[in-house]
Amino acid sequence: MAPNSSTSLSKTTTAARTRWPSTPPSPPIPASPPTYAASSPVSTVLSFSLPRTAPVFTRTLSSMIFLPVSATPLCHRLKIGARTWFPSVADDYFRKCLDKGRKTTSALLGFCVSGVQIRDDRGILWRPSHGNIHQFTASDVRRTLRRFVSSNPTSDCEPNCAFASAVYSGSEGLLAQLLELKAWFENQTLFHFYSTSVLAAYDNDDCDDGQFQGRPRLRLIDFAHVLDSDGVIDHNFLGGICSLIKFISEIFSERIEEDSNSDSVRELEQDRSSSL
Amino acid sequence: MAPNSSTSLSKTTTAARTRWPSTPPSPPIPASPPTYAASSPVSTVLSFSLPRTAPVFTRTLSSMIFLPVSATPLCHRLKIGARTWFPSVADDYFRKCLDKGRKTTSALLGFCVSGVQIRDDRGILWRPSHGNIHQFTASDVRRTLRRFVSSNPTSDCEPNCAFASAVYSGSEGLLAQLLELKAWFENQTLFHFYSTSVLAAYDNDDCDDGQFQGRPRLRLIDFAHVLDSDGVIDHNFLGGICSLIKFISEIFSERIEEDSNSDSVRELEQDRSSSL
């Protein structure tokens, strides 16, 4: 059953332009009505018009966001928030969301995987079905986040996280973009986002020594259930984002530790061979 | 109905010593079993033993935490988290929590007031009943946070937030302590805290030009429903803490703005009188 009080989005052909404001607005963003724009019912992308004070919602095909990347980028779609229903929701819809939240990892992790498409360098795709994804455990989520940045994603071996540094770290990496999004959510009191997802994507073509030509992209998508916040931050979405950040930072830290151990082993081997 | 899988707390007479770790642990806190200590079933205070890696829970009377302050400090008890039940909870307890969460501000704000005791300089107390507190709206919560730092808390006038700067701001103010707590929750993957509260208190005796002798205190209390986190941050508690921080920072910002406007008016008046 469709919710009865969500914010409606009008349709135009405007494409996504920029992301959320890079710094939390100070003083707070005036609570003026936002501009909505859309081109397709498939998914919705949140962006902001300059001077980055009034948010502009744009609705567009996911692939349109990733024009600079190939036709089959590596995508990871994560529904954020332990609670996917809003306070005034009808009782049957509320129970449906509640059941779903308890079956998926939403309640436990504050987010769940809602779609994934991973391709290895031979072009082999791994795209689990919705039925499969909805049964993901916390361990599956952790492993999928690792596969997303591995050069052996479709293999049965342990994901090697070869691209963790290139995709997750750095000033243009997904972690930095998530932290930027988190900073915005700590301050924005315009909207509450229910059942909204983040879509992370990059292209592993043109990979040169673990670095890519295009930077990884992160976008907010799916705004069917966006409500006015009544001056309160979206603590439900924010909690989920913090949890996702922790998951990703752990993968990145593990990778650094592995690299550091490998370096130490290599140094030991070099010392050993030079002493022989 | 009592939950069936919460962490049990043993009883000793150890009093609360320190607070949560001041900086997020790096590398993550080892998941060793915590030490528990308690002296009274009334409320529980979370503290940490040096070297601040293994948390120590202490159970103590609320008043014991505030030994340096008077017998009737100004207290504010806020239950943190939109969700007060844990995933494996029995169905009837879950429905009870759910109903309560929707009646109070928990679902909307990510926290609710669960107790308040405010005293003005004439010794007049304002201590609303539980029944009254449970009907608080977002607006009531905002007003109570303002009354907590006002010199006219028991008056029908608008709270003047005279002590906002002394209580909420500064390196030892409640806002700084909340930010410290938030930083810890962004990293800790040891426990999930359900139905846990923060207790904020200070003493408005010995007030000298809006400044107090003792610093305001913030403590985590009530650990009846603390669970192992299974390596996931407590996104529910974290979201609530972020929401509370936003509420308090807004009160503090408004106060600064008012002071700034008063200064401007005063300067204008001085300019005007000197030109006459």
Side-chain angles (χ1 to χ4, degrees):
Chain A
M1 179 185 163
N4 53 10
S5 60
S6 60
T7 303
S8 62
L9 305 177
S10 64
K11 294 182 180 180
T12 77
T13 54
T14 311
R17 281 167 296 189
T18 60
R19 289 174 301 127
W20 46 87
S22 59
T23 50
S26 178
I29 306 172
S32 56
T35 313
Y36 298 108
S39 67
S40 152
V42 176
S43 73
T44 316
V45 176
L46 173 65
S47 67
F48 289 84
S49 63
L50 290 170
R52 294 183 163 187
T53 49
V56 177
F57 288 85
T58 57
R59 188 171 274 221
T60 172
L61 280 165
S62 303
S63 58
M64 285 181 64
I65 321 164
F66 304 108
L67 284 178
V69 298
S70 72
T72 54
L74 286 79
C75 300
H76 209 164
R77 180 176 177 149
L78 301 138
K79 191 181 281 187
I80 308 294
R83 201 175 67 183
T84 54
W85 67 93
F86 39 87
S88 61
V89 78
D91 217 47
D92 52 349
Y93 184 75
F94 158 69
R95 282 179 203 290
K96 192 178 153 189
C97 291
L98 200 67
D99 283 347
K100 205 171 171 183
R102 294 178 102 180
K103 281 176 190 162
T104 67
T105 60
S106 290
L108 179 65
L109 308 186
F111 69 91
C112 70
V113 176
S114 56
V116 62
Q117 169 180 291
I118 298 177
R119 175 172 47 87
D120 69 11
D121 47 9
R122 292 168 297 163
I124 299 173
L125 273 178
W126 180 61
R127 196 160 43 188
S129 68
H130 275 288
N132 194 345
I133 282 173
H134 286 162
Q135 289 172 1
F136 270 12
T137 62
S139 172
D140 294 328
V141 170
R142 198 171 271 118
R143 189 178 165 87
T144 304
L145 286 166
R146 291 170 62 89
R147 288 175 89 152
F148 184 58
V149 291
S150 293
S151 61
N152 62 342
T154 55
S155 135
D156 290 334
C157 307
E158 192 58 28
N160 59 16
C161 297
F163 308 137
S165 178
V167 177
Y168 288 147
S169 79
S171 60
E172 294 203 327
L174 290 179
L175 203 49
Q177 293 179 59
L178 278 169
L179 287 169
E180 197 183 334
L181 184 61
K182 177 191 160 211
W184 186 69
F185 268 93
E186 281 174 347
N187 277 281
Q188 77 87 12
T189 52
L190 282 172
F191 304 109
H192 279 192
F193 297 82
Y194 296 99
S195 285
T196 293
S197 298
V198 293
L199 185 62
Y202 73 101
D203 195 348
N204 61 359
D205 288 345
D206 303 322
C207 173
D208 181 20
D209 196 24
Q211 298 297 317
F212 306 109
Q213 296 301 314
R215 72 171 195 151
R217 311 293 176 102
L218 188 80
R219 292 292 185 273
L220 272 187
I221 59 169
D222 302 333
F223 302 130
H225 306 162
V226 175
L227 297 184
D228 286 338
S229 74
D230 293 324
V232 180
I233 65 163
D234 190 346
H235 50 86
N236 177 54
F237 195 97
L238 183 56
I241 280 287
C242 290
S243 180
L244 177 58
I245 286 171
K246 180 68 177 168
F247 265 73
I248 291 182
S249 60
E250 277 175 353
I251 292 170
F252 180 55
S253 306
E254 283 163 17
R255 177 66 194 171
I256 288 176
E257 207 172 314
E258 280 167 21
D259 285 349
S260 166
N261 288 342
S262 304
D263 288 346
S264 305
V265 170
R266 207 173 298 124
E267 279 168 23
L268 280 171
E269 284 174 344
Q270 281 173 353
D271 288 349
R272 188 182 159 81
S273 57
S274 61
S275 65
L276 289 175
Chain B
M1 178 185 162
N4 52 10
S5 60
S6 61
T7 303
S8 63
L9 305 178
S10 63
K11 292 181 178 181
T12 78
T13 53
T14 311
R17 280 168 297 191
T18 60
R19 288 174 301 124
W20 45 87
S22 59
T23 50
S26 179
I29 307 173
S32 55
T35 313
Y36 298 110
S39 67
S40 150
V42 176
S43 74
T44 315
V45 176
L46 173 66
S47 68
F48 288 85
S49 62
L50 290 170
R52 294 184 163 184
T53 50
V56 177
F57 289 84
T58 56
R59 188 171 276 221
T60 174
L61 282 165
S62 303
S63 58
M64 284 181 66
I65 321 166
F66 306 106
L67 284 177
V69 298
S70 72
T72 53
L74 286 80
C75 300
H76 208 164
R77 180 177 177 150
L78 301 138
K79 191 180 281 187
I80 308 294
R83 200 175 67 182
T84 54
W85 67 93
F86 40 86
S88 61
V89 78
D91 217 48
D92 51 348
Y93 184 74
F94 158 71
R95 283 180 202 291
K96 192 178 153 189
C97 291
L98 200 67
D99 282 348
K100 204 170 172 184
R102 293 177 103 179
K103 281 176 190 163
T104 68
T105 59
S106 289
L108 179 66
L109 309 186
F111 68 92
C112 71
V113 176
S114 57
V116 63
Q117 169 179 292
I118 298 176
R119 175 172 47 87
D120 68 12
D121 49 7
R122 292 168 298 164
I124 299 172
L125 274 178
W126 181 62
R127 196 159 44 188
S129 68
H130 275 288
N132 194 345
I133 282 173
H134 287 162
Q135 290 172 359
F136 270 13
T137 62
S139 171
D140 294 328
V141 170
R142 197 171 272 117
R143 189 176 165 89
T144 304
L145 285 166
R146 290 171 63 89
R147 288 175 89 153
F148 184 58
V149 291
S150 292
S151 62
N152 61 343
T154 54
S155 133
D156 291 332
C157 307
E158 192 60 28
N160 59 16
C161 297
F163 309 138
S165 179
V167 177
Y168 288 147
S169 80
S171 61
E172 295 203 326
L174 291 180
L175 203 49
Q177 294 179 59
L178 278 169
L179 288 169
E180 197 184 334
L181 184 61
K182 177 190 159 212
W184 186 70
F185 268 93
E186 281 174 346
N187 277 280
Q188 77 88 12
T189 52
L190 283 172
F191 303 108
H192 279 192
F193 297 81
Y194 296 98
S195 286
T196 293
S197 299
V198 293
L199 185 62
Y202 73 101
D203 195 348
N204 61 359
D205 287 344
D206 303 322
C207 172
D208 181 21
D209 197 22
Q211 298 297 317
F212 307 110
Q213 295 302 314
R215 73 171 193 152
R217 311 293 176 103
L218 187 81
R219 291 292 186 275
L220 272 188
I221 59 168
D222 301 333
F223 302 130
H225 306 163
V226 175
L227 297 184
D228 285 337
S229 74
D230 293 323
V232 180
I233 65 162
D234 190 347
H235 50 86
N236 178 55
F237 196 97
L238 183 55
I241 280 287
C242 290
S243 179
L244 177 58
I245 286 171
K246 180 68 178 168
F247 265 73
I248 291 181
S249 60
E250 278 176 354
I251 291 170
F252 180 55
S253 307
E254 283 164 17
R255 178 66 194 173
I256 288 176
E257 207 172 316
E258 280 168 21
D259 283 350
S260 168
N261 288 342
S262 303
D263 286 347
S264 305
V265 170
R266 206 173 300 125
E267 279 168 21
L268 280 171
E269 284 174 345
Q270 280 173 354
D271 287 349
R272 188 180 159 82
S273 55
S274 61
S275 66
L276 288 175

